[in-house]
Amino acid sequence: MNTERIIRIVRPSDAKELVNIYAPYVEHTAISFEYEVPTPDEFRGRIERTLKKYPYLAAEENGRILGYAYAGPFVGRAAYNWSAEMSIYVSRDAKGRGVGGRLYGAMEEILKEMNILNLNACIGYPETEDEYLTRNSVEFHAHMGYQWVGRFHNSGYKFGRWYDMVWMEKIIGTHTGNPAPVKAFPEVRDMFAGNLLRE
C-alpha cells in the first residue's frame, strides 16, 4: 500500500480529530498547562479564531491527522505584530517520524510570506524530568533552530507539582528600520491553497 503524506490547512471540521490528539497532553502531561480537555465545539472556535489571522496546519497520512501546528499572537500589542507564538502537538503514536519537523517547516514558509520575523515558543520545563514532563520539547525546538532566551520558575502548577516555563525563539527574517507590514493569513492563503507538502 502506498503511503500518502500531506501538510494541509486545518478545517474547523477537523476539531474532533484534533481534540483526540490534544486530550492526552491535557490529561496525562504538563506539556499543556490546561486542566480540562476542550470540547470539539470549543476547539472548533479556537481553529476559526486562529485562521482569521494565522496559519493552522495538519500533517495527514492516508487521510488520518498525525499532528497539527498553529501560530498565534505574541502578547497582542501592535508593536509585537512581527512576532508569533508557535504551538505544535503530535499524536503519541506518530512521534519520531518527522511529523513535527514537516509541520514547522511549512509553518515557517507561510509566516515568512506574512512578513513575520520572530517565532516564539512557550514551553513547560521540569527542574527534574518526571512522568508528566520531560525536556523533549526544548530539544525539538533547539533541533529546529530555536534558541533559549528566558526561564520563569515555578510558573505552572499541575498534578500537584510546580513546573518552570521557558521561552525559545527563532528569527526567520531581517529586522530593518521600516519593516513590511504583517499580512493576515487569509491574504496569503491562496498561495497555499493546495497541499503544502506531499510525499
Side-chain angles (χ1 to χ4, degrees):
M1 176 180 169
N2 293 331
T3 299
E4 181 184 54
R5 299 184 181 94
I6 63 172
I7 302 291
R8 64 167 175 81
I9 298 167
V10 163
R11 299 180 286 266
S13 59
D14 294 321
K16 184 175 180 180
E17 197 167 356
L18 269 54
V19 168
N20 289 339
I21 292 172
Y22 182 57
Y25 287 93
V26 175
E27 295 173 331
H28 305 297
T29 82
I31 291 171
S32 168
F33 278 2
E34 285 199 86
Y35 282 9
E36 304 292 335
V37 177
T39 65
D41 282 344
E42 182 181 349
F43 216 85
R44 186 178 299 109
R46 295 182 186 186
I47 293 169
E48 291 169 344
R49 286 189 295 274
T50 296
L51 287 172
K52 289 179 181 178
K53 186 171 181 181
Y54 295 98
Y56 205 132
L57 304 181
E60 191 174 274
E61 181 178 276
N62 295 336
R64 177 188 166 222
I65 296 176
L66 301 182
Y68 63 94
Y70 58 93
F74 178 71
V75 179
R77 299 289 188 264
Y80 291 107
N81 278 352
W82 291 266
S83 297
E85 183 176 346
M86 306 291 287
S87 296
I88 185 168
Y89 295 93
V90 175
S91 178
R92 289 181 296 180
D93 62 0
K95 290 185 177 180
R97 296 171 52 189
V99 174
R102 293 197 298 272
L103 280 166
Y104 260 19
M107 289 288 292
E108 287 183 25
E109 184 180 342
I110 296 173
L111 292 165
K112 285 178 182 177
E113 194 63 36
M114 291 170 56
N115 298 321
I116 297 289
L117 302 175
N118 293 28
L119 306 182
N120 302 286
C122 176
I123 304 167
Y125 190 80
E127 183 70 34
T128 302
E129 290 186 319
D130 61 27
E131 67 270 33
Y132 302 115
L133 188 62
T134 69
R135 296 171 180 166
N136 287 349
S137 185
V138 166
E139 293 164 2
F140 165 75
H141 283 83
H143 177 72
M144 296 303 300
Y146 286 69
Q147 303 291 320
W148 177 301
V149 292
R151 180 172 180 175
F152 296 82
H153 297 90
N154 297 324
S155 55
Y157 183 75
K158 192 172 181 180
F159 304 123
R161 304 176 189 186
W162 288 101
Y163 293 100
D164 294 353
M165 181 270 286
V166 303
W167 279 104
M168 299 183 76
E169 72 174 2
K170 183 176 183 178
I171 308 303
I172 60 170
T174 302
H175 295 78
T176 67
N178 187 27
V182 173
K183 302 173 185 176
F185 177 58
E187 296 178 66
V188 304
R189 181 174 183 145
D190 287 349
M191 299 177 62
F192 304 97
N195 297 322
L196 298 166
L197 176 68
R198 183 182 294 273
E199 300 176 357

